[in-house]
């Protein structure tokens, strides 16, 4: 058999491949339908060339899409979902199930529970014990960048007194509110709270915060919203007289309700339709799904947005939920296997009389009449003539590596590293663990920014307004320029040092040579640079007045940065050279 010669490229010396026919590999039915479509295009061209051109263009785009392997439809790709749906439609009928699934894993899966706890501890912390998100007033004098010390002192004193008296039911402090908010963000995927203009229990400040679960904001399109009877669609706004409101063009003003959120004609949220009762409250004899309308300015609702038109959030666990459930099953099966392996029994069998204990009339039976027995260590049953020994066998010695791989994948789906998920720091070198910690810190910073923007700042603004109403600050000045009084500094906790000596040495070199400012240095306490400098100055004055020899406070020479231990020894020697000579020289950059 003679094969045809291929044409060779004179430059590369390689054979030149002929262009493949796009239709050659298609099934006969597909080619027939495609040919029929081209005939329709030709006939349509006679009547409407524009429509024919659009059909031809769309066909080319379809064929181009099929040129990608990911867009092919075959037996191996049937599980892929190639639907074009918006972010909210993807969640129709599913958001509640995903939320309940995540809550189930947090309740009963130690890995999932630790992931939630680790996220909250690193993101929110607790300001009352020296590490946590704090808010400080930063009011400036009118027309100046100088701080308004009098107003700042008044607001700071009021905040220290009322911050743990803001929760609507009077049970939670501000740090607890942030902790609950972060837990909702992780578990439910969104934070929901209502701001009230009335005092909390045990407070006289006309402001309180009520934390709500995301279930109170209905998602399904068939949920009835309030007395309007509208669930998903258009609502015509009416005035106090019951007549429709008209816009500048004389048309009725229409609002849209989608998944419990009411939007105006520009799709800006104007109100939230919150359920009056939690849909899962079984303490109420006749629970209803009636909602009440709350203006958007009175509601805190935020989530991690992953798509541009997304209006509801999903749990952080979403990509890890099936694997977390598999982990629980795997551990249960391994425990059963270990129990079976622990069974080492003996059975005397034969043709003699049957004296087995499980033939007793009291032995339980299943629905098919089969006798049910239990495995117990050291079990011996009796027959006659012959004895047989039996012992269970476990699946194998690969359980731990496989388990660790699953835990690592769960952490990747959630967004934190394996070491933080499993609390196992033995599976990597120091550099790898340090890199993992740095990546986790950036993820925590993102969540801190979310809480700062969408929780702390709105709460602080309403708190300052309540202080003006109560007379803590000048109400007339506040009414003249509220934005000036709303200025604040939100301080988020930083991470602790992993290797204190090396890290603090590097930070000191960077600050001393201008590569970093003080606010860029690792911040464990969450204190602002200005407050930190004031605190250091106070310590220095106290040390000088007490006659204490603190090197940094009384201005004594500091040890060298490159070799602090040797510099310290040199400083202690009476005949040593000045310690300043041990400071490293920094080249001009």
């Amino acid at each position: 058999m003679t094969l045809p010669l291929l044409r060779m490229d004179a430059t590369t010396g390689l054979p030149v491949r002929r262009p493949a026919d796009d239709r050659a590999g298609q099934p006969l039915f597909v080619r027939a339908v495609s040919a029929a479509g081209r005939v329709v295009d030709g006939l349509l061209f006679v009547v409407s060339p524009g429509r024919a051109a659009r059909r031809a263009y769309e066909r080319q785009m379809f064929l181009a899409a099929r040129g990608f392997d990911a867009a092919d439809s075959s037996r191996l790709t049937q599980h892929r979902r190639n639907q074009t749906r918006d972010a909210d439609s993807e969640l129709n009928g599913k958001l509640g199930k995903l939320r309940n699934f995540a809550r189930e894993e947090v309740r009963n899966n130690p890995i999932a529970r630790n992931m939630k706890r680790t996220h909250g501890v690193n993101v929110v912390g607790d300001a009352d014990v020296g590490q946590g998100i704090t808010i400080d007033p930063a009011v400036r004098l009118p027309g100046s960048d100088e701080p308004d010390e009098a107003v700042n002192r008044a607001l700071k004193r009021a905040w220290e007194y009322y911050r743990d008296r803001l929760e609507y039911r009077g049970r939670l402090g501000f740090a607890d509110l942030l902790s609950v908010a972060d837990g909702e963000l992780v578990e439910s995927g969104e934070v929901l709270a209502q701001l009230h203009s009335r005092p909390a229990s045990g407070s006289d400040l006309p402001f309180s915060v009520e934390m709500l679960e995301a279930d109170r904001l209905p998602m399904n399109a068939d949920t009835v919203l309030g007395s309007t009877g509208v669930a998903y669609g258009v609502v015509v706004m009416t005035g106090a007289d019951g007549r429709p409101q008209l816009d500048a063009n004389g048309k009725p003003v229409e609002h849209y309700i989608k998944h419990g959120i009411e939007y105006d004609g520009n799709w800006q949220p104007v109100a939230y339709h919150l359920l009056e009762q939690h849909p899962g409250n079984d303490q109420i004899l006749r629970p209803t799904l009636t909602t009440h309308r709350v203006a958007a300015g009175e509601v805190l609702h935020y989530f991690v947005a992953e798509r541009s038109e997304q209006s509801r959030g999903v749990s952080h666990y979403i990509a890890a939920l099936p694997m977390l459930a598999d982990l629980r099953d795997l551990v249960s099966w391994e425990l059963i296997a270990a129990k079976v392996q622990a069974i080492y029994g003996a059975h005397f069998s034969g043709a003699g009389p049957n004296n087995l204990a499980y033939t007793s009339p009291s032995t339980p039976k299943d629905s098919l009449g089969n006798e049910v027995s239990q495995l117990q260590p050291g079990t011996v049953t009796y027959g006659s003539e012959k004895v047989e020994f039996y012992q269970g066998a476990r699946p194998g010695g690969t359980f731990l590596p496989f388990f660790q791989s699953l835990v690592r994948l769960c952490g990747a789906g959630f967004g934190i590293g394996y070491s933080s998920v499993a609390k196992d720091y033995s599976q990597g070198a120091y550099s790898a663990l340090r890199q993992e910690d740095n990546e986790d810190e950036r993820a925590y910073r993102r969540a801190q920014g979310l809480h700062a923007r969408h929780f702390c700042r709105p709460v602080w603004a309403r708190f300052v307004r309540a202080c003006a109403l109560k007379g803590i600050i000048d109400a007339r000045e506040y009414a003249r320029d509220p934005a000036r009084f709303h200025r604040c500094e939100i301080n988020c906790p930083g991470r602790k040092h992993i290797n204190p000596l090396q890290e603090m040495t590097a930070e000191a070199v960077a600050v001393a040579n201008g590569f970093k400012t003080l606010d860029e240095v690792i911040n464990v306490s969450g204190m602002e640079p200005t407050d930190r400098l004031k605190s250091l100055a106070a310590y220095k004055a106290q040390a000088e007045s007490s006659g204490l020899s603190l090197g940094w406070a009384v201005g004594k020479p500091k040890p060298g940065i490159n070799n602090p231990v040797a510099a310290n020894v040199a400083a202690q020697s009476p005949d040593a050279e000045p310690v300043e000579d041990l400071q490293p020289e920094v080249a001009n950059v």
Side-chain angles (χ1 to χ4, degrees):
M1 178 179 180
T2 303
L3 297 177
L5 297 177
L6 298 178
R7 185 165 58 89
M8 307 298 292
D9 189 303
T11 303
T12 62
L14 299 175
V16 179
R17 298 181 59 185
R18 294 198 235 8
D21 186 1
D22 291 340
R23 299 184 298 273
Q26 295 178 350
L28 179 61
F29 173 75
V30 175
R31 283 182 285 172
V33 172
S34 180
R38 288 192 295 273
V39 172
V40 174
D41 288 344
L43 296 175
L44 184 61
F45 177 79
V46 179
V47 181
S48 176
R51 293 187 62 184
R54 285 195 298 270
R55 281 177 54 87
Y57 174 78
E58 291 172 357
R59 178 175 289 105
Q60 291 299 323
M61 292 299 99
F62 174 73
L63 294 176
R66 288 184 61 86
F68 294 95
D69 292 342
D72 288 342
S73 297
S74 66
R75 175 180 60 83
L76 301 178
T77 61
Q78 292 177 356
H79 65 284
R80 298 176 184 170
R81 300 179 180 179
N82 299 321
Q83 301 172 346
T84 303
R85 306 176 67 187
D86 65 14
D88 294 332
S89 298
E90 291 281 357
L91 296 175
N92 275 338
K94 304 173 185 176
L95 184 63
K97 296 178 181 178
L98 294 173
R99 187 164 53 227
N100 294 336
F101 194 173
R103 290 171 177 169
E104 167 70 15
E105 291 304 314
V106 171
R107 281 193 298 263
N108 298 304
N109 191 329
I111 297 294
R113 191 171 188 84
N114 178 64
M115 292 161 74
K116 177 182 176 180
R117 188 196 67 83
T118 300
H119 192 275
V121 168
N122 286 275
V123 171
V124 176
D126 193 335
D128 293 331
V129 295
Q131 184 177 9
I133 297 179
T134 60
I135 306 178
D136 289 322
V139 183
R140 300 290 188 263
L141 292 171
S144 173
D145 290 334
E146 294 297 322
D148 192 332
E149 298 291 351
V151 174
N152 288 335
R153 282 196 301 270
L155 288 176
K156 192 163 188 175
R157 286 197 301 267
W159 177 251
E160 290 175 353
Y161 179 79
Y162 285 110
R163 67 181 179 185
D164 292 336
R165 295 175 172 87
L166 296 180
E167 199 265 330
Y168 184 71
R169 296 174 178 84
R171 299 178 300 182
L172 305 176
F174 184 72
D176 303 319
L177 290 175
L178 284 172
S179 180
V180 171
D182 190 75
E184 288 290 325
L185 183 68
V186 167
E187 194 173 84
S188 301
E190 51 190 345
V191 180
L192 184 64
Q194 184 174 351
L195 305 179
H196 298 283
S197 296
R198 52 182 179 269
S201 177
S203 173
D204 59 352
L205 188 72
F207 170 58
S208 57
V209 182
E210 182 182 8
M211 298 299 299
L212 303 173
E213 290 191 341
D215 310 67
R216 295 281 291 272
L217 187 61
M219 179 69 186
N220 295 339
D222 57 352
T223 301
V224 178
L225 299 177
S227 59
T228 60
V230 176
Y232 184 94
V234 181
V235 177
V236 177
M237 303 305 295
T238 58
D241 55 359
R243 296 181 179 180
Q245 298 179 12
L246 303 179
D247 59 14
N249 299 323
K251 296 182 178 180
V253 177
E254 295 179 341
H255 284 187
Y256 309 91
I257 297 179
K258 183 179 181 182
H259 301 323
I261 306 174
E262 182 179 330
Y263 301 90
D264 61 13
N266 297 320
W267 283 100
Q268 297 291 326
V270 295
Y272 288 78
H273 292 258
L274 304 178
L275 291 170
E276 295 182 356
Q277 303 166 2
H278 192 289
N281 188 349
D282 57 358
Q283 302 299 321
I284 300 176
L285 297 179
R286 299 182 61 184
T288 64
L289 296 180
T290 304
T291 63
H292 60 283
R293 185 178 184 271
V294 182
E298 305 294 321
V299 175
L300 301 181
H301 178 235
Y302 61 96
F303 50 88
V304 176
E306 297 181 348
R307 295 180 62 176
S308 57
E309 299 183 17
Q310 183 177 347
S311 64
R312 300 294 299 270
V314 294
S315 172
H316 281 25
Y317 291 101
I318 181 132
L321 282 176
M323 196 160 296
L324 284 168
D326 291 341
L327 268 178
R328 278 204 293 160
D329 291 341
L330 181 63
V331 172
S332 298
W333 297 337
E334 180 66 12
L335 289 174
I336 293 174
K339 291 179 180 180
V340 172
Q341 188 179 19
I343 305 300
Y344 192 93
H347 174 64
F348 295 88
S349 63
N354 193 348
N355 297 320
L356 297 180
Y358 55 73
T359 59
S360 170
S362 62
T363 302
K365 297 183 179 181
D366 60 16
S367 59
L368 300 178
N370 298 317
E371 296 174 343
V372 179
S373 60
Q374 296 180 348
L375 295 177
Q376 297 177 358
T379 301
V380 178
T381 58
Y382 293 94
S384 62
E385 295 186 0
K386 184 175 64 174
V387 60
E388 297 175 351
F389 293 92
Y390 50 88
Q391 184 177 12
R394 297 179 64 178
T398 60
F399 170 79
L400 182 58
F402 183 61
F403 179 82
Q404 291 172 339
S405 298
L406 291 182
V407 173
R408 186 172 285 108
L409 290 175
C410 290
F414 185 84
I416 57 178
Y418 165 81
S419 300
S420 298
V421 174
K423 296 302 182 202
D424 179 8
Y425 301 96
S426 64
Q427 300 301 312
Y430 172 78
S431 58
L433 294 175
R434 178 64 185 273
Q435 176 65 23
E436 178 185 295
D437 181 72
N438 289 336
E439 293 183 3
D440 288 348
E441 182 192 4
R442 286 190 286 271
Y444 299 143
R445 286 293 186 187
R446 181 188 182 190
Q448 288 174 344
L450 202 65
H451 291 307
R453 290 188 299 272
H454 300 289
F455 190 90
C456 295
R457 291 193 183 278
V459 167
W460 177 258
R462 290 294 298 270
F463 168 77
V464 173
R465 176 176 175 269
C467 288
L469 294 176
K470 189 170 175 57
I472 297 175
I473 59 176
D474 193 326
R476 291 172 298 180
E477 290 291 332
Y478 174 81
R480 189 175 294 114
D481 187 7
R484 181 171 75 90
F485 290 85
H486 292 170
R487 288 177 58 94
C488 64
E489 294 176 346
I490 300 175
N491 314 312
C492 297
R495 63 175 179 84
K496 293 184 179 296
H497 295 288
I498 298 177
N499 191 324
L501 179 61
Q502 293 182 0
E503 294 181 26
M504 295 178 69
T505 299
E507 299 286 3
V509 172
V511 172
N513 295 285
F515 298 125
K516 277 187 177 183
T517 59
L518 195 59
D519 60 341
E520 295 176 298
V521 177
I522 184 170
N523 189 357
V524 177
S525 64
M527 186 183 298
E528 278 297 300
T530 304
D531 295 333
R532 202 183 318 175
L533 289 175
K534 291 180 180 179
S535 177
L536 292 176
Y539 276 118
K540 179 179 179 181
Q542 185 177 0
E544 291 175 345
S545 63
S546 302
L548 298 178
S549 299
L550 302 179
W552 63 270
V554 298
K556 288 186 177 182
K558 302 176 180 60
I561 294 176
N562 281 348
N563 192 357
V565 176
N568 188 33
V569 174
Q572 296 175 2
S573 175
D575 300 326
E577 294 293 330
V579 182
E580 287 85 344
D581 296 340
L582 298 177
Q583 299 290 338
E585 295 182 2
V586 180
N588 295 326
V589 179

